Every structure is written in C-alpha cells, then in structure tokens.
C-alpha cells in the first residue's frame, strides 16, 4: 500500500480457502511495538527473484484498516524492548516491554469485526498513550454500561471504534486527526478489547461476557497449546 515495515511480522487472522476474499492479514512492527496495517482478500505475495527471498513480501489483497500512524506515545528515555511472539493455534500474541510494564498484544476477528486485545502486566509509563490510526471524529463517543464506541471518518471512509469497559478503561479520544487511547492505571487481570468496524449499516455492539473471559485474553493464550498444524507426517527411509 505504498508503505514499508522493516522487520515486520505478517500474520493471518482469518483464512477461508473456500472464500479467499474473506481472508484477513495484518503486520506487526517490532520497532514500533504496534500493528501497522491490515488487509483482506489474501495473505502475502512474493516477487519472482530468487524465489521471493530478494524482494520481501507484500500484502495480497486490499487494505482493511490503515494503522500506519499507530504507535505508543511514552516519555522520552523510557526503556523499551521487543520480546517476541507466541503461537497458540492460529493466534499470534506479541509481547514487549514499555518501562516496567509487559504488554501482551493480540489482533483477532469475531463475526467480521477486527479486535485488538491488550493485556498489561505491570505499570505503564506515566501518561502513556496509544495512537490507533488517523481519523476524524464524527460526534461524541457513546458510553453504555459495558461499552463505549465512537464514529470516525478515515481516508478509506467511515469507521467505528469501540472499547469494552474494564476496571480502568482507557479514554478514547480524537486529537489532531488521530484516534488515541489514553491509559490509566491498568490491572494485570484486565484486558482492553478494542473493536474496529468499517460499516455504518451494522453498528458495533459490546462483546458478550463469554468473549471477554480469560480464555480470550492475550496472556492466557501464551500458555502451552496445540500447534497450528495438527496433521502428523511420518517419513521412512527409501528402500535400497
């Protein structure tokens, strides 16, 4: 889409061989500690030179949400470290440290809605903020008992962003043409679920209680689990 993510890790969030157009991919930037793009219609494409190794990979499909402006805003001089990622079936959970806090970061889909789940173990640096994307607000956020959502206008069209309430729910703001989450004190037992939707015809709704239980939290998914490939392949020596 005209942007490069050096050292980016591409992940496939949803793969439907019967309907490739429904496949969803995303890329995480370990240098910026955030997801920087997402797309639908395929996974990745490679060039023809040297079996695609020379050219790197590019997104195969059309952009879903533009996260190129995303990134953490923390005090200058704060220690930062990318730890790596965990695999849990088809899920990928990225882990990194910001100051004294360890962040577990997961992007996934549910009923056609893209969800980013953040679980923070420890205290984030003071006044920490997470820029989600470039977009302008359309009206004030709507807050319910379990859910806050707001409508925005991005370069790609209208979008909705929602947050499921936790003990210390981050504040969703639009500032300078960017959507920002301002964090308060976080509990390690809380998971911040951020929903992204690009349709005005189907409004965002709060996640059900079963969808926000511990089994869907990023930290729970770093425990041992079955691999993505469940078929066993046996080999034997060729007859002589």
């Amino acid at each position: 889409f005209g942007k490069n993510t050096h050292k980016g890790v591409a992940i496939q969030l949803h793969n439907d061989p019967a309907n490739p157009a429904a496949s969803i991919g995303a890329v995480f930037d370990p240098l910026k500690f955030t997801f920087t793009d997402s797309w639908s219609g395929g996974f990745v494409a490679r060039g023809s030179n040297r079996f695609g190794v020379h050219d790197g990979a590019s997104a195969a499909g059309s952009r879903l949400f533009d996260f190129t402006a995303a990134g953490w805003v923390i005090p200058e001089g704060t220690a930062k470290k990318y730890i790596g990622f965990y695999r849990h079936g088809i899920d990928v959970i990225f882990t990194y440290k910001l100051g004294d806090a360890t962040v577990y970061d997961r992007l996934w889909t549910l009923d056609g809605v893209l969800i980013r789940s953040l679980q923070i173990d420890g205290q984030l640096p003071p006044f920490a903020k997470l820029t989600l994307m470039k977009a302008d607000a359309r009206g004030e956020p709507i807050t319910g008992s379990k859910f806050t959502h707001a409508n925005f206008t991005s370069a790609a069209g209208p979008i909705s962003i929602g947050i499921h309430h936790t003990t210390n729910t981050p504040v969703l703001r639009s500032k300078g043409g960017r959507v920002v989450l301002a964090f308060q004190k976080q509990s390690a037992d809380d998971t911040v679920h951020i929903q992204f939707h690009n349709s005005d015809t189907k409004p965002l709704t709060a996640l059900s209680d079963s969808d926000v239980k511990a089994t869907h939290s990023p930290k729970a998914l770093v425990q041992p689990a079955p691999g993505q490939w469940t078929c066993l392949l046996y080999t034997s020596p060729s007859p002589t």
Side-chain angles (χ1 to χ4, degrees):
F1 310 116
K3 298 284 186 178
N4 292 324
T5 301
H6 302 288
K7 299 186 178 180
V9 182
I11 61 173
Q12 195 164 30
L13 308 176
H14 177 73
N15 180 31
D16 185 354
N19 183 16
S23 298
I24 297 175
V27 63
F28 183 90
D29 188 343
L31 302 179
K32 295 177 66 178
F33 307 99
T34 190
F35 295 94
T36 54
D37 228 325
S38 64
W39 60 91
S40 61
F43 186 34
V44 295
R46 292 185 175 274
S48 57
N49 272 341
R50 300 185 65 184
F51 305 99
V53 176
H54 184 269
D55 298 328
S58 59
S62 57
R63 175 175 273 159
L64 187 60
F65 293 101
D66 182 357
F67 296 135
T68 54
W72 287 90
V73 181
I74 55 178
E76 187 175 350
T78 301
K80 299 174 289 186
K81 181 181 180 181
Y82 173 65
I83 298 174
F85 60 84
Y86 295 86
R87 295 294 302 270
H88 184 108
I90 64 171
D91 285 297
V92 182
I93 298 88
F94 292 91
T95 310
Y96 47 92
K97 288 187 70 70
L98 301 175
D100 295 329
T102 301
V103 182
Y104 299 88
D105 202 340
R106 175 194 180 203
L107 200 64
W108 55 297
T109 63
L110 180 68
D111 298 332
V113 176
L114 190 68
I115 303 173
R116 183 173 181 179
S117 298
L118 291 159
Q119 193 164 10
I120 299 162
D121 193 352
Q123 185 61 46
L124 283 170
F127 312 110
K129 299 179 180 65
L130 175 60
T131 299
L132 298 176
M133 65 192 322
K134 285 184 179 179
D136 295 308
R138 294 187 293 148
E140 295 297 321
I142 301 170
T143 300
S145 60
K146 294 184 177 182
F147 187 68
T148 296
H149 78 274
N151 297 318
F152 300 89
T153 300
S154 69
I159 59 171
S160 297
I161 299 177
I163 305 177
H164 189 89
H165 292 174
T166 64
T167 306
N168 298 288
T169 305
V171 179
L172 182 65
R173 297 172 177 167
S174 177
K175 185 176 181 180
R178 296 171 186 259
V179 184
V180 176
L181 278 185
F183 282 81
Q184 307 172 64
K185 183 178 180 180
Q186 293 299 126
S187 165
D189 296 328
D190 288 339
T191 300
V192 180
H193 295 290
I194 311 157
Q195 301 181 50
F196 301 88
H197 191 49
N198 57 8
S199 173
D200 277 342
T201 60
K202 181 183 176 184
L204 283 174
T205 56
L207 294 171
S208 67
D209 291 338
S210 62
D211 290 326
V212 296
K213 285 183 178 178
T215 51
H216 289 276
S217 69
K219 194 173 179 180
L221 296 177
V222 304
Q223 304 303 317
Q228 181 178 5
W229 298 280
T230 56
C231 297
L232 297 178
L233 177 65
Y234 297 95
T235 60
S236 58
S238 300
T240 56

